[in-house]
Amino acid sequence: KQEVTQIPAALSVPEGENLVLNCSFTDSAIYNLQWFRQDPGKGLTSLLLIQSSQREQTSGRLNASLDKSSGRSTLYIAASQPGDSATYLCAVRPDLSGATNKLIFGTGTLLAVQP
Amino acid sequence: EAQVTQNPRYLITVTGKKLTVTCSQNMNHEYMSWYRQDPGLGLRQIYYSMNVEVTDKGDVPEGYKVSRKEKRNFPLILESPSPNQTSLYFCASRGIGTGGPRAKNIQYFGAGTRLSVL
């Protein structure tokens, strides 16, 4: 059974720091991995999606890497800003067909960037 | 604007009183899902739908029903709510296209419905 774990559960950093959020999964047979941002009252926003054949994806100050063999992904945030404060969720899509439309989520990392 | 709309956003009800949470998407997406989010457990899939009139159970379907009579709508029905269904609910949708809001693999989520069952 696929399990997704995120460490740390919470993180507080001063503005301007570079930081890394970690995600691990137990079964390497995944189709893709997504990083989401969750803001209170605003649902989830997709940040980056990495296909199983890819090693990393970049969007602005965000870089996500994927090491499928070791069951790990990292989200790197450069030059953090107070506006980056949110909960970051990692999710894997376990099935190749996509028929279940299922994502398996970690419990998230609550990030606070202090001005 | 591409979006998934859930209503209501907040709901307090009592045990046993039937309720429906609506979900609508404007991206002509084929796939839709419902998730619940609970502290320490993350998001778990309740039901999913591959297209009109095609629905199936997710990981935690007990106590819930869904229907997909139209492509854009995917309501979640609680016939007899119980306190253990107090949770934050999210609707999500995904297309099977190649670009824009219909690009496959990108899930779009609604803003959530916070339900309390007393």
Side-chain angles (χ1 to χ4, degrees):
Chain A
K1 178 186 174 187
Q2 178 74 270
E3 293 183 0
V4 180
T5 304
Q6 292 186 246
I7 295 174
L11 181 63
S12 181
V13 301
E15 182 176 4
E17 265 202 17
N18 303 325
L19 59 100
V20 174
L21 307 181
N22 296 294
C23 171
S24 61
F25 46 95
T26 55
D27 188 343
S28 62
I30 64 170
Y31 184 73
N32 62 41
L33 183 146
Q34 276 186 267
W35 282 92
F36 290 88
R37 170 183 173 139
Q38 182 175 14
D39 294 281
K42 293 186 179 180
L44 280 69
T45 302
S46 180
L47 297 173
L48 289 166
L49 181 147
I50 311 176
Q51 299 286 29
S52 62
S53 58
Q54 297 175 323
R55 298 284 291 183
E56 66 176 347
Q57 283 286 333
T58 298
S59 175
R61 293 183 295 109
L62 305 179
N63 176 277
S65 68
L66 174 64
D67 185 342
K68 213 172 65 160
S69 61
S70 67
R72 294 186 179 186
S73 176
T74 61
L75 179 66
Y76 175 82
I77 302 177
S80 58
Q81 303 170 358
D84 295 330
S85 299
T87 297
Y88 289 81
L89 297 168
C90 160
V92 300
R93 185 172 125 182
D95 63 324
L96 299 182
S97 71
T100 66
N101 198 35
K102 179 190 295 187
L103 294 177
I104 299 175
F105 284 84
T107 52
T109 294
L110 177 61
L111 173 65
V113 180
Q114 309 299 332
Chain B
E1 180 189 355
Q3 60 184 4
V4 179
T5 304
Q6 295 179 226
N7 280 296
R9 295 290 313 282
Y10 303 91
L11 180 59
I12 301 175
T13 190
V14 296
T15 299
K17 186 176 181 181
K18 181 179 177 180
L19 66 92
T20 299
V21 183
T22 64
C23 173
S24 180
Q25 49 91 7
N26 63 0
M27 297 166 279
N28 200 32
H29 281 172
E30 284 74 21
Y31 289 99
M32 298 186 77
S33 294
W34 275 102
Y35 289 84
R36 60 177 290 173
Q37 185 178 31
D38 302 289
L41 296 176
L43 282 87
R44 295 174 292 166
Q45 191 187 51
I46 304 171
Y47 266 93
Y48 65 93
S49 169
M50 295 173 61
N51 214 320
V52 175
E53 301 292 2
V54 182
T55 64
D56 208 344
K57 299 176 181 178
D59 293 327
V60 288
E62 295 77 20
Y64 304 95
K65 285 175 55 177
V66 292
S67 69
R68 188 92 182 272
K69 293 183 170 56
E70 304 165 290
K71 196 172 183 180
R72 64 183 293 125
N73 296 323
F74 190 44
L76 179 69
I77 303 157
L78 285 73
E79 295 271 5
S80 183
S82 62
N84 64 12
Q85 292 178 298
T86 292
S87 187
L88 179 58
Y89 291 87
F90 288 101
C91 179
S93 72
R94 175 171 71 87
I96 57 173
T98 56
R102 283 188 48 77
K104 61 181 179 180
N105 300 324
I106 303 295
Q107 293 268 4
Y108 289 78
F109 281 79
T113 295
R114 187 166 293 280
L115 171 65
S116 294
V117 183
L118 305 177

